[in-house]
Amino acid sequence: MMQGISGCTRSSSSPSRVEFIGDGKYRGDGGMELEALWRGFPGVWKEIRGCPGRFTARGKRMRSTEVQALVEASGIKEAKIWRVEKSGKDPMDVVVFKTGSSSA
């Protein structure tokens, strides 16, 4: 079940030709995979208050969908996904995409 999601990209030798636009606040911070995830589920992403660049999804259906399923439905071929859980905090699923570009 998705509680929160943080999308990250690693620089590679062949950076993405498509930049992340999303809601416009973090334009260029990510690549084609992050943009595919954003566009694959339009209108559902909401930035987590106090967590810049981290998003959750609106709606019971989206929150009950496994992150792996969201990634696959967006057409993303390779991603590492893991869950971070800390005592007293909501769990967070982290997705690291194989390709893309990140801003410094």
Side-chain angles (χ1 to χ4, degrees):
M1 179 188 323
M2 182 180 71
Q3 295 294 325
I5 186 167
S6 178
C8 306
T9 58
R10 293 184 301 199
S11 294
S12 70
S13 58
S14 57
S16 172
R17 297 198 189 284
V18 178
E19 71 174 20
F20 173 66
I21 298 170
D23 63 1
K25 287 176 69 176
Y26 306 101
R27 188 180 181 106
D29 187 11
M32 65 183 162
E33 294 91 348
L34 189 54
E35 186 65 16
L37 192 57
W38 186 273
R39 289 185 182 186
F41 302 93
V44 301
W45 300 109
K46 175 178 91 169
E47 189 169 21
I48 299 170
R49 185 178 29 209
C51 298
R54 294 188 178 139
F55 300 88
T56 189
R58 293 179 177 101
K60 192 176 199 178
R61 183 172 156 228
M62 286 294 289
R63 287 192 304 273
S64 65
T65 302
E66 293 291 330
V67 172
Q68 181 68 43
L70 296 176
V71 169
E72 289 172 2
S74 297
I76 299 166
K77 303 294 183 204
E78 295 185 50
K80 288 186 179 182
I81 302 169
W82 70 92
R83 176 160 280 211
V84 176
E85 296 186 62
K86 293 186 177 183
S87 179
K89 303 282 184 180
D90 289 336
M92 178 177 66
D93 294 307
V94 178
V95 179
V96 177
F97 303 116
K98 183 177 179 186
T99 61
S101 59
S102 57
S103 59

